[in-house]
Amino acid sequence: MADDCVEPHPGFRIAAEQVASAERTPAAAGPVVGNLNGINTVITYAMEDVLLRGADPAIRFRAAAEEAEALLDITTERPLPTHR
């Protein structure tokens, strides 16, 4: 298991262990998206800005989309290793 993912969020350990021990099938694999954690973080911060700080949703989510696309571009330039 990738401890660097679990270390900052100890509550994720059990879920991560369950996912790691599950049978690998195409249906269970889920989406293959580079830097999904980074993209989720960008979206979460945008939602927080809109809901808690009164940011304009259209402007803030447009900026979040650009940030997420930049993360995808980085992953495309340096592809993630495939799981075996």
Side-chain angles (χ1 to χ4, degrees):
M1 177 179 4
D3 288 330
D4 59 329
C5 293
V6 176
E7 186 177 326
H9 309 286
F12 290 170
R13 180 167 298 283
I14 291 174
E17 289 172 354
Q18 288 176 336
V19 170
S21 67
E23 181 181 345
R24 300 206 186 271
T25 67
V32 178
V33 176
N35 200 351
L36 183 58
N37 186 48
I39 292 168
N40 285 339
T41 300
V42 166
I43 294 168
T44 300
Y45 287 155
M47 181 67 74
E48 184 177 278
D49 288 344
V50 169
L51 295 176
L52 301 179
R53 295 180 186 84
D56 180 273
I59 293 170
R60 184 61 183 95
F61 283 112
R62 187 175 303 116
E66 290 172 5
E67 291 176 57
E69 287 177 23
L71 291 173
L72 286 172
D73 290 343
I74 291 168
T75 304
T76 302
E77 293 168 4
R78 185 184 44 144
L80 297 174
T82 58
H83 295 284
R84 296 176 197 239

